[in-house]
Amino acid sequence: MDEPLDLDGWARTALMSRRTLTRRFRDRTGTSPQRWPLQQRVDHARLLLESTDDTMDRIAADAGLGTSVNLRHHFHRLLGTTPAAHRALFRR
């Protein structure tokens, strides 16, 4: 998950245009190919928060979100809570 998204590469691999890939991806998954990796990265970060004592910076890097600032931003936007608050639920 820590690799950047290459939508043109995905389309070439699937032997279709970027537009067709995007349309078919949305039809199958209900989300865009640009948004899907972000959702997967946040979900991976969520699992790391629940199962490790790694720092926020380490989790952000491992999940492909770059920095703890990005982790907090996307985590809150997608899940409605902060990474620290989520982790605290699993430390009780």
Side-chain angles (χ1 to χ4, degrees):
M1 294 308 316
D2 60 349
E3 295 295 320
L5 170 65
D6 177 15
L7 193 54
D8 291 323
W10 279 14
R12 276 190 306 277
T13 299
L15 301 175
M16 58 182 72
S17 71
R18 182 180 178 144
R19 183 175 177 210
T20 299
L21 173 72
T22 299
R23 187 176 62 251
R24 288 185 180 175
F25 194 95
R26 186 180 304 275
D27 289 345
R28 295 266 173 104
T29 66
T31 190
S32 72
Q34 293 88 351
R35 186 170 174 89
W36 182 83
L38 178 60
Q39 292 169 329
Q40 298 304 304
R41 288 175 176 140
V42 169
D43 193 50
H44 184 61
R46 181 186 58 78
L47 293 173
L48 292 172
L49 287 164
E50 294 169 6
S51 62
T52 72
D53 291 323
D54 291 347
T55 66
M56 295 296 168
D57 285 325
R58 178 80 258 150
I59 289 172
D62 288 350
L65 293 166
T67 67
S68 59
V69 172
N70 286 336
L71 170 63
R72 284 190 296 276
H73 170 77
H74 293 298
F75 203 91
H76 188 267
R77 190 167 61 80
L78 293 177
L79 301 178
T81 189
T82 65
H86 184 79
R87 176 177 264 171
L89 291 173
F90 291 86
R91 297 294 186 240
R92 293 184 182 170

